[in-house]
């Protein structure tokens, strides 16, 4: 009964937000015994993608390998919430452990056909993750901006990985102004800015 109520609530959200502006991503926990049933239902309801939060929900990133592979079979992108906040201001009693770069790399390697969006990753963490994956191409791995910390011109470095980065704001935990300012102050070409602002995201969720 509880699962049925949850499905009904998701259906209401999908009907109200499934327009050209909003794209609904469903949150699943791959350690729950019902994840396959929930995933099939979400795919049938045309959800835009699946979201997981290993650190917040208390499981290792590797526990999502089967889910990641299933997303590829259903042509659904998988958003991996590396973090939902800044660890420097996290309450010490909050039992959240951010996935480490090698764990993220292992998940990506296990599902080479899955479109994966890494959300809340810092640039240096992506560089560490990338070093674990130097022997494979990553055409289906994407990252968002909301936790890219640094000076205003730090976004200029993103132009070296064309088609990799998407605009992300981390709302409601974060606000979009910092990322917007970084883009506005960058020296990226108009086409590169357009790709980050919308083009790459369209490619990520295209079905």
């Amino acid at each position: 009964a509880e699962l049925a109520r949850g499905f009904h609530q998701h259906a209401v959200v999908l009907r109200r937000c499934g327009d050209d502006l909003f794209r609904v991503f469903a949150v699943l926990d791959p350690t729950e015994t019902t994840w396959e049933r929930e995933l099939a239902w979400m795919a049938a309801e045309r959800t835009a993608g699946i979201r997981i939060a290993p650190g917040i929900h208390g499981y290792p990133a590797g526990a999502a390998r089967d889910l990641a592979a299933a997303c590829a079979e259903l042509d659904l992108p998988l958003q991996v919430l590396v973090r939902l906040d800044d660890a420097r201001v996290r309450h010490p009693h909050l039992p959240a452990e951010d996935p480490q770069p090698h764990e993220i790399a292992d998940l990506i390697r296990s599902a080479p056909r899955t479109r994966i969006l890494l959300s809340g990753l810092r640039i240096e963490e992506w560089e560490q993750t990338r070093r674990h994956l130097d022997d494979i191409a990553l055409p289906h791995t994407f990252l968002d901006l909301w936790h890219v910390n640094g000076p205003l011109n730090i976004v200029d470095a993103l132009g070296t990985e064309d088609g990799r980065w998407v605009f992300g704001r981390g709302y409601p935990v974060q606000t979009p102004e910092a990322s917007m300012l970084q883009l506005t102050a960058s020296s990226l070409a108009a086409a590169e800015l357009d790709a980050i602002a919308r083009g790459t995201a369209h490619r990520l969720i295209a079905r």
Side-chain angles (χ1 to χ4, degrees):
E2 190 66 31
L3 187 60
R5 281 196 295 272
F7 282 174
H8 173 72
Q9 292 168 356
H10 279 296
V12 171
V13 172
L14 286 167
R15 284 196 299 270
R16 293 182 178 178
C17 298
D19 56 23
D20 289 337
L21 178 61
F22 294 101
R23 296 293 185 272
V24 177
F25 274 54
V27 179
L28 293 185
D29 183 341
T31 66
E32 295 287 342
T33 58
T34 56
W35 76 260
E36 291 176 286
R37 180 184 170 192
E38 293 177 41
L39 178 62
W41 185 86
M42 292 300 174
E45 290 293 326
R46 303 294 294 173
T47 187
I50 302 301
R51 176 178 294 148
I52 61 173
I56 295 295
H57 289 160
Y59 58 84
R65 290 179 180 177
D66 290 344
L67 172 58
C71 284
E73 294 299 323
L74 294 170
D75 196 25
L76 286 171
L78 176 66
Q79 182 183 16
V80 180
L81 296 178
V82 177
R83 57 176 54 87
L84 289 172
D85 59 1
D86 189 327
R88 295 170 297 183
V89 296
R90 182 179 297 162
H91 195 283
H93 290 168
L94 179 64
E97 295 186 11
D98 300 336
Q100 297 301 301
H102 70 275
E103 297 177 288
I104 298 169
D106 288 344
L107 177 61
I108 294 171
R109 187 185 295 277
S110 73
R113 297 190 299 113
T114 306
R115 302 193 305 279
I116 294 179
L117 171 63
L118 303 176
S119 183
L121 204 65
R122 296 191 298 268
I123 285 183
E124 61 269 24
E125 291 172 323
W126 168 238
E127 292 172 345
Q128 295 172 37
T129 303
R130 192 69 179 88
R131 283 196 289 272
H132 289 285
L133 297 164
D134 273 345
D135 59 331
I136 62 173
L138 299 171
H140 306 305
T141 302
F142 305 84
L143 300 97
D144 70 17
L145 284 180
W146 82 260
H147 205 58
V148 174
N149 298 323
L152 284 180
N153 63 353
I154 195 170
V155 174
D156 293 345
L158 309 185
T160 61
E161 291 196 282
D162 185 37
R164 178 86 65 200
W165 293 85
V166 302
F167 180 82
R169 57 185 182 172
Y171 185 83
V173 179
Q174 303 290 331
T175 55
E177 285 81 5
S179 295
M180 292 168 63
L181 180 59
Q182 287 175 330
L183 287 177
T184 303
S186 77
S187 60
L188 294 176
E192 294 171 320
L193 288 172
D194 183 73
I196 292 174
R198 60 174 185 169
T200 303
H202 285 169
R203 185 159 58 89
L204 170 68
I205 63 175
R207 294 181 66 183

